[in-house]
C-alpha cells in the first residue's frame, strides 16, 4: 500500500495536529507506506486490481478498531501500549480497495463519552475553535477529517459517537444499520447497539466508503448483506430527490413529552429531578434551533413534503440506552484482566490481586462508573426492574420508528399483502431531527456536566436502540461553529439517506474551518 504525500502536506499536517491532537498514532512518514512529498507512489497490487474511488486515499481509524501492527489503545491507560495482532474486516475491505490506513485517532475511553475528554491518552480540540471539544467518542476521527488531514475516517457509534462529533466538527457522519458492517475487529463496548461508522468530507465520499465496508462477514454472526428489496445504495438520479416525504421530529414536542412525564408524577423520589434535568437537556441551544429550522425550510424549498412526526417512546430513550449499554459494557470489559495483554502493576500478591490492581489503575473514572452501573442493573433479582424494562422500551422505540419508516422485514413486506406480517413500506422516507442540543461545547465552566452530556444523547441513541441507519451532516454554521442535523431511515435504506443528504449538499457545500486546505479530491 502506498499513498503519495501531496506537495506541502507534511507541514500542513504538523501545524494542524499540534493544535488539534486528533491522532494517537500517525504513520511513520518515512516508512515505505508513505511516499515523500511530490514523489509518485507506485501502485500496489491491490490498488492496481481495484482502482476505485478510494484507491490511493489515506484514511484514519478510531483507536478501538484493529489494524495489525498499529495501536489499539481504546483511549485507555490499560491498553496504551497494545499493538493490534489482526485487522478489522472493515479495514481489510478498505485495504483491498486500495485505501491506506495512516493513523489511529483519539477517542473517549472505550467509546464512553461525548467529548473525547475521557481519553486517558491525550486531549483533542475542535478544528473550528481549539478551546472547544471535538465531540465524542469518535472526536479524533471527526477532527482529522474536519482539518483536512484525511478525506475520511472510521469511527464507531454505540449511542451517537459518529454523528455527534461529525456535527461538532462540520463533517458527514454515518451510523449504518445494525449488522450492515462487520464488527469484527471493533473492541466491544455495547455489542447490541454499536457498529463501525464513517466520517467523511462529503456525502459522496461517505457513500463510497460505506459501499466498500458493508456486507455480511462470517467472522461476525450479527452481520449480513442488505436485503435485495432494500433501496439501492448507488445514487438514484431519478429517485426521491425533491419528491420524497421527510418526517420532522420536533425537539419541542420531545421536551414537552419528558416534562409531562414529570407532571404524571408516578415515579420514585429523585426521578422527577432527573427527568427535569433531562427535559432541560433536550431543549436546543438557540443556534442549534436556528440551524434545524434552516434545514427544515431548505428541504421544503427543495420540494420535499415535510410532515410532523412523533416517536412517543423517545422520552425513555436515554435511560433505556444507558441501562442496556452499561449492562453490556460490564460484561464486555470483563475480558480486560491484563493477564495476556494490557498494563500490569509492578507487583501483585496473586493473580486475583494482579487483576484488581490492573483494572483499578488502568480504567478511568467514567469506565468504572459504567461497569458499576452495568453490574447494578444486572444484579440478581433486579433484572426485571431495570434491564428487562429497558428492553421493553427498546422494542417500543423500534415499533414507533417502524410505524413511520416501514418494517425492517423487507421480505415479509414483499410477500405479504399490505397490513399483513412484514407490514407495508413507511409513511415517510426519512426522519429529520437534531443531532445534539448544543454546538461543540467548551471546557471548564463552558462545558456540559457529565449528566447533561448523557441526557443530551436522546436524539442520537434512539437510532442505535432501533438498529436503524442515521446520517448526520452540516446544516449551517452559527456563531462560527457548525450545526449538524441527522436523517434516520428504514433499516438498510442508507441509499435513501445519502440521496436526500446529497440533494442538500448540492446547495449547501460542506463548510470548513479557517486554514483548511483541500488536499484530497
Ligand atoms: N455519548 C454516548 C455514550 O457515552 C455515545 C457513545 C458511543 O456512541 N460510543 O455512551
Amino acid at each position: 500500500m502506498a499513498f503519495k504525500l501531496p506537495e506541502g502536506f507534511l507541514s500542513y499536517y504538523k501545524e494542524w495536529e499540534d493544535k488539534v491532537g486528533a491522532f494517537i498514532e500517525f504513520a511513520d512518514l518515512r516508512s515505505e507506506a508513505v511516499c515523500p512529498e511530490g514523489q509518485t507512489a507506485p501502485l500496489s497490487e491491490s490498488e492496481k486490481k481495484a482502482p476505485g474511488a478510494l484507491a490511493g486515499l489515506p484514511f484514519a481509524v478510531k483507536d478501538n478498531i484493529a489494524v495489525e501492527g498499529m495501536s489499539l489503545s481504546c483511549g485507555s491507560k490499560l491498553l496504551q501500549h497494545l499493538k493490534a495482532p489482526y485487522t478489522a474486516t472493515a479495514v481489510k475491505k478498505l485495504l483491498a480497495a486500495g485505501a491506506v490506513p495512516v493513523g489511529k485517532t483519539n477517542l473517549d475511553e472505550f467509546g464512553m463519552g461525548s467529548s473525547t475528554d475521557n481519553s486517558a491518552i491525550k486531549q483533542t480540540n475542535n478544528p473550528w475553535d481549539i478551546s472547544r471539544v471535538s465531540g465524542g467518542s469518535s472526536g479524533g476521527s471527526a477532527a482529522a477529517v474536519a482539518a483536512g488531514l484525511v478525506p475520511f475516517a472510521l469511527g464507531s457509534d454505540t449511542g451517537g459517537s459518529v454523528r455527534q462529533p461529525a456535527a461538532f466538527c462540520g463533517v458527514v457522519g454515518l451510523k449504518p444499520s445494525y449488522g450492515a458492517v462487520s464488527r469484527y475487529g471493533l473492541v466491544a463496548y455495547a455489542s447490541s447497539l454499536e457498529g463501525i461508522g464513517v466520517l467523511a468530507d462529503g456525502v459522496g465520499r461517505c457513500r463510497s466508503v460505506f459501499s466498500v465496508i458493508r456486507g455480511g462477514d462470517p467472522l461476525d454472526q450479527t452481520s449480513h448483506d442488505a436485503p435485495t428489496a432494500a433501496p439501492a445504495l448507488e445514487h438514484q438520479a431519478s429517485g426521491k430527490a425533491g419528491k420524497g416525504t421527510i418526517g420532522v421530529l420536533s425537539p419541542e414536542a420531545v421536551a414537552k413529552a419528558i416534562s409531562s412525564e414529570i407532571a404524571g408524577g408516578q415515579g420514585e423520589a429523585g426521578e422527577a429531578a432527573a427527568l427535569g434535568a433531562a427535559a432541560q437537556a433536550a431543549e436546543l441551544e438557540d443556534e442549534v434551533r436556528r440551524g434545524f429550522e434552516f434545514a427544515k425550510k431548505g428541504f421544503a424549498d427543495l420540494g420535499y413534503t415535510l410532515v410532523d412526526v412523533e416517536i412517543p417512546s423517545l422520552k425513555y430513550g436515554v435511560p433505556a440506552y444507558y441501562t442496556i449499554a452499561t449492562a453490556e459494557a460490564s460484561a464486555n470489559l470483563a475480558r480486560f484482566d491484563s493477564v495476556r495483554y494490557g498494563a500490569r502493576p509492578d507487583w501483585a500478591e496473586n493473580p486475583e490481586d494482579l487483576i484488581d490492581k490492573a483494572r483499578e489503575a488502568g480504567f478511568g473514572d467514567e469506565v468504572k462508573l459504567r461497569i458499576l452501573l452495568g453490574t447494578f442493573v444486572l444484579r440478581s433479582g433486579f433484572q426485571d426492574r431495570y434491564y428487562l424494562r429497558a428492553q421493553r422500551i427498546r422494542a417500543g422505540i423500534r415499533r414507533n420508528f417502524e410505524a413511520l419508516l416501514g418494517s425492517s422485514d423487507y421480505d415479509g413486506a414483499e410477500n405479504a399483502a399490505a397490513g399483513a406480517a412484514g407490514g407495508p413500506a413507511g409513511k415517510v422516507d426519512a426522519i429529520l431531527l437534531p443531532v445534539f442540543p448544543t454546538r461543540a461545547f467548551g471546557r471548564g465552566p463552558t462545558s456540559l456536566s457529565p449528566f447533561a452530556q448523557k441526557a443530551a444523547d436522546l436524539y442520537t441513541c434512539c437510532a442505535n436502540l432501533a438498529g436503524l441507519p442515521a446520517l448526520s451532516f452540516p446544516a449551517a454554521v452559527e456563531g462560527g461553529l457548525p450545526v449538524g442535523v441527522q436523517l434516520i431511515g428504514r433499516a438498510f435504506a442508507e441509499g435513501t439517506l445519502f440521496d436526500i443528504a446529497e440533494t442538500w449538499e448540492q446547495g449547501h457545500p460542506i463548510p470548513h474551518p479557517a486554514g483548511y486546505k483541500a488536499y484530497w479530491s
Side-chain angles (χ1 to χ4, degrees), residues 282-348:
E283 277 176 31
L284 305 187
E285 185 185 45
D286 284 346
E287 289 83 352
V288 176
R289 178 172 301 119
R290 277 205 295 277
F292 186 63
E293 293 301 322
F294 180 71
K296 269 164 64 176
K297 183 169 176 311
F299 278 118
D301 290 347
L302 283 166
Y304 287 91
T305 306
L306 265 51
V307 295
D308 286 328
V309 297
E310 276 180 39
I311 306 285
S313 304
L314 190 70
K315 55 181 183 261
Y316 307 119
V318 168
Y321 166 74
Y322 277 96
T323 303
I324 295 168
T326 55
E328 293 185 16
S330 69
N332 275 327
L333 269 59
R335 75 191 55 163
F336 300 113
D337 54 14
S338 289
V339 171
R340 275 166 296 178
Y341 59 90
R344 284 181 170 200
D346 291 337
W347 181 87

Side-chain angles (χ1 to χ4, degrees), residues 248-262 275 278-284 292 309-318 431-434 437 455-459 462:
V248 179
L249 185 80
S250 141
E252 288 79 19
V254 174
K256 218 161 92 199
I258 298 175
S259 307
S260 71
E261 200 61 19
I262 308 170
L275 279 165
Q280 212 180 347
E283 277 176 31
L284 305 187
F292 186 63
V309 297
E310 276 180 39
I311 306 285
S313 304
L314 190 70
K315 55 181 183 261
Y316 307 119
V318 168
I431 297 173
L432 177 72
L433 70 167
D457 283 338
L458 91 160
Y459 296 112
C462 51

Side-chain angles (χ1 to χ4, degrees), residues 62 64 108 110-115 118 136-138 156-164 189 194 321-322 325 366 370 436 453-454 457 460-461 464:
K62 186 176 180 179
N64 62 349
D108 288 305
F110 291 105
M112 299 177 181
S114 302
S115 64
N118 289 344
S137 62
S138 312
S156 62
D157 194 310
T158 311
S161 280
V162 163
R163 290 160 287 154
Q164 186 257 27
Y189 154 25
E194 68 203 355
Y321 166 74
Y322 277 96
E366 184 65 29
R370 294 193 190 200
F436 203 75
Q453 285 184 39
K454 292 186 174 77
D457 283 338
T460 46
C461 71
N464 304 78

Side-chain angles (χ1 to χ4, degrees), residues 2-3 43 46-48 50-58 94-100 152:
F3 97 95
L43 282 184
S46 57
E47 282 165 343
K48 274 186 222 153
L54 305 180
L57 279 184
L94 288 167
L95 283 165
V100 186
F152 71 93

Side-chain angles (χ1 to χ4, degrees), residues 133-181:
V133 303
S134 59
S137 62
S138 312
S141 287
V145 174
L149 304 181
V150 282
F152 71 93
L154 295 182
S156 62
D157 194 310
T158 311
S161 280
V162 163
R163 290 160 287 154
Q164 186 257 27
F168 277 20
C169 293
V171 301
V172 176
L174 171 73
K175 172 232 170 287
S177 309
Y178 185 73
V181 176

Side-chain angles (χ1 to χ4, degrees), residues 4 49 89 103 116 178-179 282 356 415 418-419 451 473 477:
K4 184 181 143 192
K49 261 188 258 152
T89 299
T116 303
Y178 185 73
D356 278 357
N415 299 336
F451 180 85
F473 53 95
V477 176

